[in-house]
Amino acid sequence: MFKHQVKGVFFDLDGTLVDTAPDMALALNLQLERHNKNPLDYSVIRPWVSHGAAALIKLGFGVTPEHQEFEEYRLEYLNVYSDNLAIKSQLFPHLNDLLNQFDANGIKWGVVTNKPEFLALPLLEQLGLLKRAAAVVCGDTVKPSKPSPTPLFLACKLAKLNSNECIYVGDAQRDIQAANSAGQYSVAVKYGYITDDDKVADWNADLVLNSSKELLDLFKS
């Protein structure tokens, strides 16, 4: 099924490896409460989580980076979220079994995310994943970030792997673009934070999966 023998698997973080949406939504609603605004339904917030603080600020406050208030809102959100990183966030179903399978079979795995280090590293530490990962590359570890392949090349270097021996799994078009540009096998997962505007079939992923169970089954086979 794969182009080459698989020796490494890298994951996007939010919406692919870890279900962070509950805590990211909590942070946005706490921030909205500070500004005497009504909270948003979780179902409204969830699809935008993969697009980071900027997308959530636009969703909650209707401002974009061009607005004078944007940076103040963004920094406030990040501070609120940093205090609530791992209240409900957890691995998606079946992915703990998948990581255990990788560890047992000598397949290296890691995380390549656009989430900044000051959020991603403590989150992975609190979930007991940081020391297990062969490589963790965050949005400010190296530039440019995804959709550039640069972070994936760095992850391979840290894990001592060739890029064509690796798979990258993500829930956003930039993830698939980065994987394809890096010469890795690209897997798009629709269980992640997908918006109504996302046309996953047009992302040119090597494989599209609907559930985390399908991801587990993929490597079992």
Side-chain angles (χ1 to χ4, degrees):
M1 179 179 293
F2 301 119
K3 300 172 185 176
H4 302 280
Q5 180 183 1
V6 176
K7 296 184 179 181
V9 181
F10 297 112
F11 298 89
D12 176 49
L13 180 54
D14 301 287
T16 301
L17 182 63
V18 178
D19 187 7
T20 55
D23 291 332
M24 294 185 73
L26 170 65
L28 180 60
N29 280 331
L30 288 173
Q31 184 184 18
L32 288 169
E33 183 180 352
R34 288 186 181 185
H35 293 271
N36 298 312
K37 292 181 177 291
N38 292 328
L40 298 175
D41 286 342
Y42 176 70
S43 61
V44 173
I45 300 174
R46 187 184 188 276
W48 296 100
V49 165
S50 271
H51 301 286
L56 294 177
I57 293 303
K58 180 180 179 182
L59 180 67
F61 294 93
V63 297
T64 57
E66 301 80 42
H67 288 78
Q68 183 177 354
E69 307 94 336
F70 174 81
E71 188 61 12
E72 181 179 346
Y73 282 133
R74 188 185 73 87
L75 293 175
E76 181 184 44
Y77 173 80
L78 293 176
N79 285 331
V80 174
Y81 177 48
S82 67
D83 291 334
N84 297 277
L85 277 175
I87 296 175
K88 294 185 177 180
S89 293
Q90 58 185 335
L91 286 167
F92 279 98
H94 309 290
L95 295 194
N96 186 56
D97 290 340
L98 180 61
L99 298 184
N100 287 338
Q101 180 178 310
F102 288 162
D103 291 342
N105 289 283
I107 294 177
K108 296 180 179 179
W109 61 269
V111 173
V112 180
T113 175
N114 279 3
K115 204 180 193 82
E117 289 184 353
F118 86 97
L119 296 173
L121 298 182
L123 172 61
L124 291 170
E125 175 69 30
Q126 290 179 51
L127 294 177
L129 299 173
L130 187 59
K131 292 180 180 179
R132 294 177 62 189
V136 176
V137 178
C138 303
D140 49 359
T141 306
V142 65
K143 292 294 184 181
S145 55
K146 297 177 298 181
S148 167
T150 300
L152 289 177
F153 287 136
L154 176 58
C156 290
K157 182 178 180 180
L158 294 172
K160 297 181 173 60
L161 296 169
N162 295 320
S163 195
N164 64 3
E165 299 172 329
C166 298
I167 295 170
Y168 187 60
V169 188
D171 69 324
Q173 186 172 17
R174 63 180 170 272
D175 299 326
I176 305 308
Q177 290 171 335
N180 291 343
S181 296
Q184 297 186 6
Y185 194 91
S186 56
V187 177
V189 290
K190 295 177 72 174
Y191 64 79
Y193 307 142
I194 305 294
T195 70
D196 291 339
D197 295 331
D198 286 322
K199 295 179 172 56
V200 180
D202 296 334
W203 291 358
N204 295 318
D206 291 310
L207 186 64
V208 177
L209 300 178
N210 293 307
S211 69
S212 55
K213 178 64 163 55
E214 289 183 12
L215 188 58
L216 174 64
D217 291 343
L218 173 67
F219 290 99
K220 280 187 174 180
S221 64

mmCIF file of all heavy atoms in Angstrom, residues 181-214:
data_model
loop_
_atom_site.group_PDB
_atom_site.id
_atom_site.type_symbol
_atom_site.label_atom_id
_atom_site.label_comp_id
_atom_site.label_asym_id
_atom_site.label_seq_id
_atom_site.Cartn_x
_atom_site.Cartn_y
_atom_site.Cartn_z
ATOM 1 N N SER A 181 4.922 17.638 -0.623
ATOM 2 C CA SER A 181 6.140 18.359 -0.998
ATOM 3 C C SER A 181 7.381 17.716 -0.395
ATOM 4 O O SER A 181 8.478 17.821 -0.957
ATOM 5 C CB SER A 181 6.051 19.814 -0.547
ATOM 6 O OG SER A 181 5.010 20.497 -1.216
ATOM 7 N N ALA A 182 7.203 17.059 0.763
ATOM 8 C CA ALA A 182 8.334 16.398 1.427
ATOM 9 C C ALA A 182 8.583 14.996 0.903
ATOM 10 O O ALA A 182 9.523 14.328 1.341
ATOM 11 C CB ALA A 182 8.090 16.349 2.935
ATOM 12 N N GLY A 183 7.725 14.522 -0.002
ATOM 13 C CA GLY A 183 7.883 13.173 -0.525
ATOM 14 C C GLY A 183 7.429 12.099 0.437
ATOM 15 O O GLY A 183 7.853 10.944 0.345
ATOM 16 N N GLN A 184 6.553 12.479 1.381
ATOM 17 C CA GLN A 184 6.017 11.510 2.330
ATOM 18 C C GLN A 184 4.641 11.042 1.867
ATOM 19 O O GLN A 184 3.965 11.714 1.101
ATOM 20 C CB GLN A 184 5.920 12.131 3.730
ATOM 21 C CG GLN A 184 7.270 12.533 4.293
ATOM 22 C CD GLN A 184 7.207 13.002 5.730
ATOM 23 O OE1 GLN A 184 6.172 12.930 6.380
ATOM 24 N NE2 GLN A 184 8.338 13.468 6.249
ATOM 25 N N TYR A 185 4.228 9.896 2.359
ATOM 26 C CA TYR A 185 2.896 9.382 2.075
ATOM 27 C C TYR A 185 1.909 10.205 2.894
ATOM 28 O O TYR A 185 2.049 10.322 4.114
ATOM 29 C CB TYR A 185 2.819 7.906 2.451
ATOM 30 C CG TYR A 185 1.618 7.190 1.890
ATOM 31 C CD1 TYR A 185 1.687 6.548 0.663
ATOM 32 C CD2 TYR A 185 0.415 7.157 2.580
ATOM 33 C CE1 TYR A 185 0.580 5.884 0.141
ATOM 34 C CE2 TYR A 185 -0.687 6.501 2.074
ATOM 35 C CZ TYR A 185 -0.602 5.864 0.850
ATOM 36 O OH TYR A 185 -1.695 5.221 0.338
ATOM 37 N N SER A 186 0.927 10.795 2.249
ATOM 38 C CA SER A 186 0.018 11.716 2.920
ATOM 39 C C SER A 186 -1.329 11.056 3.211
ATOM 40 O O SER A 186 -1.937 10.452 2.332
ATOM 41 C CB SER A 186 -0.192 12.973 2.075
ATOM 42 O OG SER A 186 -0.666 12.657 0.778
ATOM 43 N N VAL A 187 -1.769 11.193 4.466
ATOM 44 C CA VAL A 187 -3.045 10.636 4.899
ATOM 45 C C VAL A 187 -3.890 11.757 5.486
ATOM 46 O O VAL A 187 -3.490 12.412 6.459
ATOM 47 C CB VAL A 187 -2.850 9.527 5.952
ATOM 48 C CG1 VAL A 187 -4.200 9.010 6.434
ATOM 49 C CG2 VAL A 187 -2.013 8.385 5.374
ATOM 50 N N ALA A 188 -5.059 11.985 4.905
ATOM 51 C CA ALA A 188 -6.005 12.980 5.410
ATOM 52 C C ALA A 188 -7.058 12.280 6.253
ATOM 53 O O ALA A 188 -7.592 11.244 5.846
ATOM 54 C CB ALA A 188 -6.666 13.724 4.257
ATOM 55 N N VAL A 189 -7.352 12.848 7.426
ATOM 56 C CA VAL A 189 -8.329 12.232 8.317
ATOM 57 C C VAL A 189 -9.543 13.142 8.473
ATOM 58 O O VAL A 189 -9.430 14.291 8.896
ATOM 59 C CB VAL A 189 -7.716 11.895 9.686
ATOM 60 C CG1 VAL A 189 -6.729 10.738 9.543
ATOM 61 C CG2 VAL A 189 -7.023 13.091 10.322
ATOM 62 N N LYS A 190 -10.694 12.609 8.144
ATOM 63 C CA LYS A 190 -11.924 13.405 8.166
ATOM 64 C C LYS A 190 -12.572 13.446 9.546
ATOM 65 O O LYS A 190 -13.571 14.143 9.737
ATOM 66 C CB LYS A 190 -12.910 12.864 7.126
ATOM 67 C CG LYS A 190 -12.407 13.015 5.695
ATOM 68 C CD LYS A 190 -13.347 12.409 4.676
ATOM 69 C CE LYS A 190 -14.604 13.224 4.496
ATOM 70 N NZ LYS A 190 -15.444 12.697 3.397
ATOM 71 N N TYR A 191 -12.025 12.695 10.512
ATOM 72 C CA TYR A 191 -12.547 12.789 11.871
ATOM 73 C C TYR A 191 -12.070 14.066 12.555
ATOM 74 O O TYR A 191 -12.527 14.417 13.642
ATOM 75 C CB TYR A 191 -12.162 11.558 12.703
ATOM 76 C CG TYR A 191 -10.679 11.372 12.942
ATOM 77 C CD1 TYR A 191 -9.998 12.110 13.909
ATOM 78 C CD2 TYR A 191 -9.949 10.434 12.220
ATOM 79 C CE1 TYR A 191 -8.640 11.925 14.140
ATOM 80 C CE2 TYR A 191 -8.599 10.234 12.439
ATOM 81 C CZ TYR A 191 -7.949 10.985 13.396
ATOM 82 O OH TYR A 191 -6.610 10.806 13.608
ATOM 83 N N GLY A 192 -11.129 14.769 11.933
ATOM 84 C CA GLY A 192 -10.564 15.972 12.525
ATOM 85 C C GLY A 192 -11.471 17.177 12.395
ATOM 86 O O GLY A 192 -12.685 17.056 12.205
ATOM 87 N N TYR A 193 -10.855 18.350 12.461
ATOM 88 C CA TYR A 193 -11.618 19.595 12.505
ATOM 89 C C TYR A 193 -11.817 20.114 11.089
ATOM 90 O O TYR A 193 -11.095 20.989 10.604
ATOM 91 C CB TYR A 193 -10.908 20.610 13.387
ATOM 92 C CG TYR A 193 -10.597 20.068 14.761
ATOM 93 C CD1 TYR A 193 -9.412 20.377 15.412
ATOM 94 C CD2 TYR A 193 -11.492 19.227 15.419
ATOM 95 C CE1 TYR A 193 -9.129 19.882 16.668
ATOM 96 C CE2 TYR A 193 -11.213 18.712 16.676
ATOM 97 C CZ TYR A 193 -10.026 19.038 17.293
ATOM 98 O OH TYR A 193 -9.747 18.534 18.535
ATOM 99 N N ILE A 194 -12.816 19.569 10.430
ATOM 100 C CA ILE A 194 -13.096 19.857 9.030
ATOM 101 C C ILE A 194 -14.265 20.836 8.945
ATOM 102 O O ILE A 194 -15.308 20.622 9.567
ATOM 103 C CB ILE A 194 -13.454 18.561 8.267
ATOM 104 C CG1 ILE A 194 -12.342 17.504 8.443
ATOM 105 C CG2 ILE A 194 -13.709 18.848 6.800
ATOM 106 C CD1 ILE A 194 -11.038 17.866 7.819
ATOM 107 N N THR A 195 -14.107 21.899 8.178
ATOM 108 C CA THR A 195 -15.189 22.860 7.998
ATOM 109 C C THR A 195 -16.038 22.472 6.792
ATOM 110 O O THR A 195 -15.650 21.633 5.979
ATOM 111 C CB THR A 195 -14.646 24.282 7.779
ATOM 112 O OG1 THR A 195 -14.014 24.364 6.496
ATOM 113 C CG2 THR A 195 -13.625 24.649 8.853
ATOM 114 N N ASP A 196 -17.175 23.113 6.675
ATOM 115 C CA ASP A 196 -18.064 22.845 5.544
ATOM 116 C C ASP A 196 -17.412 23.230 4.214
ATOM 117 O O ASP A 196 -17.788 22.710 3.162
ATOM 118 C CB ASP A 196 -19.383 23.614 5.704
ATOM 119 C CG ASP A 196 -20.232 23.078 6.857
ATOM 120 O OD1 ASP A 196 -20.023 21.918 7.249
ATOM 121 O OD2 ASP A 196 -21.086 23.832 7.356
ATOM 122 N N ASP A 197 -16.452 24.146 4.280
ATOM 123 C CA ASP A 197 -15.781 24.604 3.057
ATOM 124 C C ASP A 197 -14.659 23.670 2.620
ATOM 125 O O ASP A 197 -14.147 23.794 1.499
ATOM 126 C CB ASP A 197 -15.205 26.015 3.257
ATOM 127 C CG ASP A 197 -16.293 27.054 3.487
ATOM 128 O OD1 ASP A 197 -17.405 26.856 2.967
ATOM 129 O OD2 ASP A 197 -16.024 28.051 4.188
ATOM 130 N N ASP A 198 -14.245 22.777 3.481
ATOM 131 C CA ASP A 198 -13.137 21.873 3.152
ATOM 132 C C ASP A 198 -13.597 20.820 2.147
ATOM 133 O O ASP A 198 -14.583 20.121 2.385
ATOM 134 C CB ASP A 198 -12.607 21.180 4.406
ATOM 135 C CG ASP A 198 -11.795 22.107 5.283
ATOM 136 O OD1 ASP A 198 -11.050 22.941 4.739
ATOM 137 O OD2 ASP A 198 -11.900 21.991 6.517
ATOM 138 N N LYS A 199 -12.862 20.720 1.070
ATOM 139 C CA LYS A 199 -13.131 19.692 0.060
ATOM 140 C C LYS A 199 -11.958 18.716 0.082
ATOM 141 O O LYS A 199 -11.012 18.832 -0.690
ATOM 142 C CB LYS A 199 -13.314 20.336 -1.316
ATOM 143 C CG LYS A 199 -14.547 21.245 -1.390
ATOM 144 C CD LYS A 199 -14.687 21.892 -2.742
ATOM 145 C CE LYS A 199 -16.005 22.639 -2.871
ATOM 146 N NZ LYS A 199 -16.205 23.664 -1.817
ATOM 147 N N VAL A 200 -12.043 17.780 1.017
ATOM 148 C CA VAL A 200 -10.926 16.883 1.287
ATOM 149 C C VAL A 200 -10.527 16.096 0.033
ATOM 150 O O VAL A 200 -9.338 15.822 -0.184
ATOM 151 C CB VAL A 200 -11.278 15.934 2.444
ATOM 152 C CG1 VAL A 200 -10.123 14.981 2.731
ATOM 153 C CG2 VAL A 200 -11.647 16.731 3.687
ATOM 154 N N ALA A 201 -11.489 15.755 -0.803
ATOM 155 C CA ALA A 201 -11.191 14.984 -2.014
ATOM 156 C C ALA A 201 -10.279 15.742 -2.972
ATOM 157 O O ALA A 201 -9.634 15.122 -3.816
ATOM 158 C CB ALA A 201 -12.490 14.605 -2.715
ATOM 159 N N ASP A 202 -10.214 17.062 -2.823
ATOM 160 C CA ASP A 202 -9.384 17.885 -3.715
ATOM 161 C C ASP A 202 -8.003 18.165 -3.143
ATOM 162 O O ASP A 202 -7.222 18.902 -3.747
ATOM 163 C CB ASP A 202 -10.086 19.222 -3.993
ATOM 164 C CG ASP A 202 -11.395 19.039 -4.749
ATOM 165 O OD1 ASP A 202 -11.534 18.030 -5.460
ATOM 166 O OD2 ASP A 202 -12.274 19.918 -4.631
ATOM 167 N N TRP A 203 -7.685 17.597 -1.990
ATOM 168 C CA TRP A 203 -6.404 17.886 -1.358
ATOM 169 C C TRP A 203 -5.247 17.083 -1.937
ATOM 170 O O TRP A 203 -4.096 17.323 -1.606
ATOM 171 C CB TRP A 203 -6.478 17.593 0.143
ATOM 172 C CG TRP A 203 -7.361 18.535 0.913
ATOM 173 C CD1 TRP A 203 -8.044 19.618 0.433
ATOM 174 C CD2 TRP A 203 -7.655 18.453 2.307
ATOM 175 N NE1 TRP A 203 -8.747 20.221 1.445
ATOM 176 C CE2 TRP A 203 -8.531 19.524 2.608
ATOM 177 C CE3 TRP A 203 -7.281 17.582 3.333
ATOM 178 C CZ2 TRP A 203 -9.023 19.754 3.899
ATOM 179 C CZ3 TRP A 203 -7.775 17.798 4.605
ATOM 180 C CH2 TRP A 203 -8.622 18.873 4.880
ATOM 181 N N ASN A 204 -5.544 16.091 -2.756
ATOM 182 C CA ASN A 204 -4.517 15.221 -3.358
ATOM 183 C C ASN A 204 -3.773 14.378 -2.320
ATOM 184 O O ASN A 204 -2.576 14.098 -2.474
ATOM 185 C CB ASN A 204 -3.503 16.044 -4.172
ATOM 186 C CG ASN A 204 -4.146 16.702 -5.376
ATOM 187 O OD1 ASN A 204 -4.954 16.088 -6.079
ATOM 188 N ND2 ASN A 204 -3.809 17.959 -5.621
ATOM 189 N N ALA A 205 -4.498 13.969 -1.282
ATOM 190 C CA ALA A 205 -3.909 13.050 -0.309
ATOM 191 C C ALA A 205 -3.784 11.668 -0.926
ATOM 192 O O ALA A 205 -4.597 11.264 -1.761
ATOM 193 C CB ALA A 205 -4.774 12.983 0.945
ATOM 194 N N ASP A 206 -2.774 10.920 -0.507
ATOM 195 C CA ASP A 206 -2.629 9.543 -0.976
ATOM 196 C C ASP A 206 -3.750 8.664 -0.437
ATOM 197 O O ASP A 206 -4.141 7.682 -1.073
ATOM 198 C CB ASP A 206 -1.275 8.979 -0.531
ATOM 199 C CG ASP A 206 -0.111 9.647 -1.248
ATOM 200 O OD1 ASP A 206 -0.157 9.742 -2.488
ATOM 201 O OD2 ASP A 206 0.826 10.094 -0.554
ATOM 202 N N LEU A 207 -4.272 9.021 0.729
ATOM 203 C CA LEU A 207 -5.331 8.229 1.344
ATOM 204 C C LEU A 207 -6.186 9.139 2.219
ATOM 205 O O LEU A 207 -5.665 10.044 2.880
ATOM 206 C CB LEU A 207 -4.717 7.114 2.207
ATOM 207 C CG LEU A 207 -5.663 6.091 2.825
ATOM 208 C CD1 LEU A 207 -6.376 5.279 1.739
ATOM 209 C CD2 LEU A 207 -4.890 5.158 3.756
ATOM 210 N N VAL A 208 -7.500 8.917 2.198
ATOM 211 C CA VAL A 208 -8.430 9.655 3.048
ATOM 212 C C VAL A 208 -9.142 8.660 3.954
ATOM 213 O O VAL A 208 -9.693 7.670 3.476
ATOM 214 C CB VAL A 208 -9.464 10.444 2.209
ATOM 215 C CG1 VAL A 208 -10.467 11.133 3.127
ATOM 216 C CG2 VAL A 208 -8.771 11.460 1.306
ATOM 217 N N LEU A 209 -9.112 8.930 5.264
ATOM 218 C CA LEU A 209 -9.749 8.046 6.240
ATOM 219 C C LEU A 209 -10.845 8.803 6.974
ATOM 220 O O LEU A 209 -10.718 10.000 7.254
ATOM 221 C CB LEU A 209 -8.715 7.530 7.249
ATOM 222 C CG LEU A 209 -7.543 6.729 6.666
ATOM 223 C CD1 LEU A 209 -6.573 6.340 7.779
ATOM 224 C CD2 LEU A 209 -8.038 5.493 5.932
ATOM 225 N N ASN A 210 -11.897 8.084 7.315
ATOM 226 C CA ASN A 210 -13.050 8.710 7.965
ATOM 227 C C ASN A 210 -12.985 8.690 9.480
ATOM 228 O O ASN A 210 -13.607 9.529 10.132
ATOM 229 C CB ASN A 210 -14.341 8.021 7.513
ATOM 230 C CG ASN A 210 -14.639 8.254 6.047
ATOM 231 O OD1 ASN A 210 -14.664 9.395 5.604
ATOM 232 N ND2 ASN A 210 -14.860 7.174 5.308
ATOM 233 N N SER A 211 -12.255 7.754 10.051
ATOM 234 C CA SER A 211 -12.268 7.603 11.509
ATOM 235 C C SER A 211 -10.890 7.216 12.023
ATOM 236 O O SER A 211 -10.038 6.713 11.277
ATOM 237 C CB SER A 211 -13.280 6.531 11.924
ATOM 238 O OG SER A 211 -12.832 5.248 11.517
ATOM 239 N N SER A 212 -10.688 7.429 13.319
ATOM 240 C CA SER A 212 -9.422 7.033 13.928
ATOM 241 C C SER A 212 -9.309 5.510 13.990
ATOM 242 O O SER A 212 -8.199 4.964 14.001
ATOM 243 C CB SER A 212 -9.294 7.641 15.327
ATOM 244 O OG SER A 212 -10.405 7.307 16.134
ATOM 245 N N LYS A 213 -10.434 4.818 14.015
ATOM 246 C CA LYS A 213 -10.399 3.351 13.954
ATOM 247 C C LYS A 213 -9.822 2.895 12.622
ATOM 248 O O LYS A 213 -9.046 1.918 12.570
ATOM 249 C CB LYS A 213 -11.809 2.789 14.145
ATOM 250 C CG LYS A 213 -11.908 1.256 14.046
ATOM 251 C CD LYS A 213 -11.133 0.568 15.143
ATOM 252 C CE LYS A 213 -11.537 -0.890 15.336
ATOM 253 N NZ LYS A 213 -11.463 -1.698 14.114
ATOM 254 N N GLU A 214 -10.161 3.579 11.543
ATOM 255 C CA GLU A 214 -9.607 3.245 10.235
ATOM 256 C C GLU A 214 -8.093 3.469 10.216
ATOM 257 O O GLU A 214 -7.363 2.737 9.556
ATOM 258 C CB GLU A 214 -10.273 4.081 9.136
ATOM 259 C CG GLU A 214 -11.712 3.690 8.843
ATOM 260 C CD GLU A 214 -12.307 4.488 7.704
ATOM 261 O OE1 GLU A 214 -11.554 5.184 6.985
ATOM 262 O OE2 GLU A 214 -13.535 4.426 7.534
#
